[in-house]
Structures are given as structure tokens and as C-alpha cells.
Amino acid sequence: MDLLLEKWKEILLGIKQEHMVSDVSFDTWLKDLIPYNVEENKLYILVPPKHDQQMTIDYITRKYKKPFLVAIEEITGEHYDELVFILKEQAQEKFIASFPNKYNEENQSNLNPNYTFDNFVVGKNNSFAHAAALAVAESPGEVYNPLYIHGGPGLGKTHLLQSIGHFILSQKPNKKILYTTSEEFTNEVIDSIRNGNSSSMAKLRNKYRTVDVLMVDDIQFIIGKESTQEEFFHTFNVLHSSGKQIILSSDKPPKDIETLEERIRSRFEWGLLADIGYPDYETRMAILRNKEESNEFHLNDEILDYIASNIKSNVRELEGALNKLLAYSKLQKTEITMDIAVHELQNIISPNKEMEITPQLIIEVVCEHFKLSEVQMLSKKRSSDISKPRQIAMYLIRNLTDTSLKTIGTLLGGRDHTTIIHGIEQIDHEYQTSEIMQNTIETVKKKINPN
């Protein structure tokens, strides 16, 4: 179930693309389906209450059962003998487990199962933010509302936000939790305005204004987007006045965010501001040892010291360096020596070199933004949730570096220059015609170069 839930969006989008399902049909029949349980190699998929009719079950089963079985096996490698679409009442009768179960809660909440308090390393740089997050998790809506966590990129803000969500669900499973990014929120506002009907906006407001806990990551990206700021302002007011918990993260405190409307700035400062600073050497070593342990992977102290001494301001880069050595060790079936570590990490660790925008940096940021692995990015897969980020990487490498088309193709899985040209032109066209693509590109560019 964990793998299935992790890949569920990819499965849905794969079916949409492979079978040319229209946006209307996708939103009506597929978008809100949720994996519910597995019994005797039979997969049960929950049909949400809004479709609570047997005729809907019959239609979805007849039209989409086989595409689901094929897509699931192709994407996850899991084969199911049977697939059953099931209504809420039927699920409650058949399974003793309470509804909705933890899988459905996490799926609805957009929480990453890897981000919990248990695996968050506490050091001098983040102890205050950690204590504030735990206090909010224990008493949501009662203390520090809103909680505003700020700090540089890659320092653990997202980890803390989602840890709060997991903790609350573990204590109060019926709480309605929602984690989102300001980019996702902005794109939904844009979609609602573009649709130009009241039902679309009502759906958006129902989604965000009926939760018990709202977490918005990278709130700084709503700056300069008037409609988004307006919608968030009223959403904030509705939730706060109802005693619902709001948790925000940003790369800087409210007072340092230029052009932020004063009425929004003042609300951000109503609760508690908690900053996360750069980890000291001891904390960086603790993070590396924690990562080692969780991956059952061992490096000698000299190599750990080399990493911790040279990567000082970004936890994500620390973990990325360890992940790179772990992948090398597995693929080459060899133990990591100091010489190997220095060679393999030369693009990450450059002690005397200023940070520069490189094709590899762009690929890594795009992968992180779209929650893809580099293996997926470089693969031959053409599903839209992979091909679109890949094209965005092509576009950004071409526009932010002097890299040739041939080299871009080599870096992105050995693709020929015509494929690269097509990808760049496709994103350039969408950037000129789609506000959502403009928002996505500008958000990723800010992540590549925050200054």
C-alpha cells in the first residue's frame, strides 16, 4: 500500500495520458479515487461520497478497471489478480478498520511519510523551531497561531511542517490536515479564476477553509500575485477566527519580505516567529550519522568529516552527498574510500568556489520541486508528470547556462538535440501563454538562485 500511495498520482496521470482521458472525465471519474485496502491480492479502490451511486461504480469498473491494473503493474511492479471499486458504506461493512484509514488521511493531507519528528535531528540551530512545532502539534489552534517558521533553503522547514501534521494525525486521526505549497495554492487560484464560474471558486474555498490545520510551504512565493494574496488573506481570516491552526514557512521573516501587503504581514506576525539557522559541525555530523543508520550504510569518520566540514549551510546538500555515495556503492558494489568520495562529490563540494548555476544544480532543483528522482528524470518514461519537469529542466538549463543542446541531451538521459529543441520550444510557448507555467518557472528559478 505504501508504494501504491506514493505512486498513485503517477498512476492516475499515466492512465489519463495513455487513454487520452479528457480533463472533464478525469476530474469526474478518476481524480478523487483512493487506494483503500488489499486482501488476498485483490485491490480495493475507494470511490468518494460525491459519487455514491452504484451506477457510477458500474461505469468506472467497465471503463477503467483494466487500465488501472495495467498502469499499476507497469509503474509499481505490483500485480493484482482483481481490482474492486468500492463505496464508503461497503468498505465499512467489509473491513473492520475505521474509515478513513491512515492511508486515506495521509493521501488527503499531502504528507510525506519520511518527514516525522522521530527522524528530525535537533541541534542548536533549530531547537527553538522544533520546540515550537512540537507545542503546536500537541495543542493545534491553542498556542502560537499562526506558527511561522523561516530560514534558508534546505534547512528542514518542510520536514518540521509535515512532522506537525503526522503527529496530529497520530493523536487525533479525525482531524482534517492539509499541507500545500504556495505555488500549488497559486495555481489553484489561477485555475479557479480562469474557469470563470462560482462553483470552481467555491470548491477551492471549501478545500482550504474547512480544514483543522493548514500548512503552507514557501509562503514568500505569493508575493506580487494580487489575486492569490487576496484569496489567502480571506482564507487566513476564516481559519484563524475559527480557531484552526495555520503553519507557514518562508525563507525570511515577514518584515524582510519586500512588497508584502501590510495587512498580510501583520497577520503573519500575530503568532510565533521561529527561525532555523545553519547547523553547526556537531549537528551536521549527527544528520549524516542518522542518514547512515536509516539506510544501513556505513562510511568511515574521515569521509563523514570531509562532508560535514565542507557542506555547512544546507541539510539537503548534506543528505544529497550521502545519497550519491550510497548509490555509487550499490551500483559499483564497492566500499567507499576517501579518494572515491572526493571524486564523486567534486560537483557538490567545492570549498574554495562560489556557488554557481550549473546544469546539474538545475536538474537537482527541478527533481526536488516535482518530487522526482534523478533516475526518473533521466529515464525513457514519457508520462506527463515526468516528461513535463524534464522539459522544464531543458528550458532552464538553456536559459540560465551556456550549455549546448547536445550537452543538455547527454545530461538528460542521452536525448538527441531535436528532442531538446522541441522540449525548450514547448515550455517557452507555455510560459508565454499560461500563467500557471509562468508561476512554476519563476518559482523554480527562485529556488535555483534565491538571491
Side-chain angles (χ1 to χ4, degrees):
M1 282 295 289
D2 288 337
L3 177 62
L4 191 61
L5 284 162
E6 180 185 338
K7 299 290 185 180
W8 190 245
K9 287 185 179 178
E10 183 179 345
I11 291 166
L12 291 177
L13 290 173
I15 293 172
K16 182 178 188 295
Q17 183 180 49
E18 184 69 23
H19 298 274
M20 293 182 288
V21 180
S22 69
D23 290 343
V24 173
S25 294
F26 181 79
D27 289 345
T28 303
W29 307 114
L30 303 181
K31 184 179 178 181
D32 296 323
L33 298 177
I34 302 170
Y36 185 78
N37 212 335
V38 176
E39 184 181 76
E40 297 178 352
N41 210 37
K42 183 184 293 186
L43 172 63
Y44 291 85
I45 296 180
L46 190 72
V47 179
K50 68 177 182 180
H51 296 313
D52 207 1
Q53 302 175 31
Q54 190 58 46
M55 60 175 287
T56 303
I57 295 287
D58 295 340
Y59 178 80
I60 295 175
T61 301
R62 185 172 66 254
K63 190 168 181 67
Y64 295 111
K65 177 179 175 180
K66 187 173 181 180
F68 264 106
L69 287 170
V70 172
I72 288 169
E73 186 161 3
E74 286 182 349
I75 293 173
T76 70
E78 296 289 339
H79 171 78
Y80 293 101
D81 296 330
E82 185 61 72
L83 185 150
V84 178
F85 295 97
I86 191 168
L87 298 173
K88 173 181 174 179
E89 288 75 12
Q90 295 170 329
Q92 288 175 311
E93 291 174 6
K94 183 170 182 60
F95 302 104
I96 298 174
S98 61
F99 174 90
N101 64 23
K102 68 172 183 176
Y103 299 114
N104 298 325
E105 288 288 356
E106 291 185 359
N107 187 61
Q108 299 277 356
S109 306
N110 295 330
L111 296 178
N112 183 329
N114 296 319
Y115 291 153
T116 67
F117 283 122
D118 290 339
N119 56 24
F120 185 86
V121 178
V122 182
K124 293 178 181 178
N125 65 306
N126 59 26
S127 59
F128 178 71
H130 175 266
L134 189 55
V136 165
E138 291 173 340
S139 304
E142 297 177 20
V143 296
Y144 312 139
N145 196 15
L147 173 62
Y148 185 103
I149 301 174
H150 61 93
L155 294 179
K157 299 186 298 295
T158 299
H159 193 147
L160 267 187
L161 260 65
Q162 297 209 19
S163 295
I164 296 171
H166 282 299
F167 186 94
I168 294 172
L169 282 178
S170 71
Q171 303 298 311
K172 302 173 182 177
N174 293 324
K175 285 287 187 182
K176 192 173 180 183
I177 313 288
L178 179 59
Y179 166 87
T180 190
T181 65
S182 64
E183 181 204 359
E184 291 169 350
F185 182 78
T186 300
N187 287 344
E188 289 186 49
V189 171
I190 292 169
D191 264 341
S192 297
I193 294 173
R194 186 175 60 188
N195 289 337
N197 58 67
S198 57
S199 63
S200 179
M201 187 59 75
K203 183 179 178 181
L204 171 75
R205 289 169 180 167
N206 182 66
K207 174 180 177 179
Y208 285 100
R209 299 184 187 184
T210 59
V211 297
D212 296 301
V213 180
L214 176 63
M215 297 173 280
V216 184
D217 220 346
D218 290 323
I219 194 66
Q220 73 271 14
F221 291 136
I222 71 168
I223 307 307
K225 302 176 176 71
E226 292 182 9
S227 297
T228 303
Q229 287 192 67
E230 184 71 19
E231 189 61 33
F232 184 76
F233 173 77
H234 293 296
T235 296
F236 183 104
N237 287 344
V238 169
L239 292 175
H240 196 274
S241 63
S242 302
K244 307 303 183 182
Q245 181 67 52
I246 302 165
I247 309 159
L248 309 170
S249 84
S250 175
D251 61 350
K252 59 190 69 173
K255 65 181 179 63
D256 292 342
I257 302 180
E258 298 177 4
T259 71
L260 180 64
E261 291 184 18
E262 185 56 39
R263 59 177 181 162
I264 297 180
R265 189 195 316 276
S266 66
R267 279 160 176 77
F268 288 174
E269 295 174 342
W270 275 356
L272 179 68
L273 305 183
D275 72 304
I276 299 181
Y278 297 132
D280 57 19
Y281 174 81
E282 289 77 15
T283 303
R284 298 198 297 273
M285 285 293 284
I287 290 169
L288 290 172
R289 293 190 190 284
N290 185 61
K291 188 76 174 175
E292 265 192 318
E293 184 179 337
S294 64
N295 285 283
E296 298 180 351
F297 178 57
H298 178 69
L299 293 174
N300 67 47
D301 288 347
E302 183 185 14
I303 296 173
L304 293 180
D305 174 74
Y306 174 70
I307 298 172
S309 297
N310 288 293
I311 301 177
K312 301 178 180 180
S313 60
N314 194 307
V315 173
R316 193 180 298 125
E317 286 184 8
L318 271 178
E319 296 182 338
L322 205 63
N323 286 338
K324 189 163 190 177
L325 297 183
L326 173 60
Y328 184 92
S329 178
K330 284 185 175 179
L331 292 172
Q332 300 297 324
K333 297 180 173 58
T334 184
E335 185 177 341
I336 300 297
T337 64
M338 190 64 193
D339 287 341
I340 291 174
V342 171
H343 181 267
E344 290 303 309
L345 300 180
Q346 60 183 325
N347 291 330
I348 300 175
I349 294 178
S350 303
N352 301 316
K353 187 178 180 182
E354 286 187 16
M355 181 71 171
E356 64 175 323
I357 297 175
T358 64
Q360 183 59 34
L361 172 64
I362 293 170
I363 291 170
E364 289 172 1
V365 172
V366 171
C367 283
E368 185 216 345
H369 182 80
F370 289 99
K371 299 178 176 62
L372 298 175
S373 67
E374 282 194 45
V375 172
Q376 289 174 305
M377 174 70 79
L378 306 185
S379 72
K380 302 300 180 184
K381 290 184 178 180
R382 297 182 180 180
S383 57
S384 60
D385 59 325
I386 296 177
S387 63
K388 187 62 67 177
R390 187 186 294 133
Q391 290 179 332
I392 288 173
M394 297 173 187
Y395 173 86
L396 290 171
I397 293 172
R398 185 62 171 169
N399 282 275
L400 299 179
T401 72
D402 296 326
T403 310
S404 68
L405 294 172
K406 182 177 180 181
T407 302
I408 295 174
T410 301
L411 290 169
L412 289 169
R415 289 171 164 78
D416 61 51
H417 76 285
T418 56
T419 300
I420 305 302
I421 291 173
H422 171 74
I424 293 170
E425 290 178 345
Q426 178 71 27
I427 299 303
D428 186 58
H429 173 72
E430 290 185 41
Y431 184 85
Q432 301 299 327
T433 58
S434 167
E435 193 177 350
I436 289 178
M437 181 56 74
Q438 290 176 21
N439 182 45
T440 298
I441 292 294
E442 294 306 316
T443 299
V444 175
K445 284 170 69 174
K446 286 178 183 176
K447 288 185 176 182
I448 292 169
N449 184 15
N451 298 323

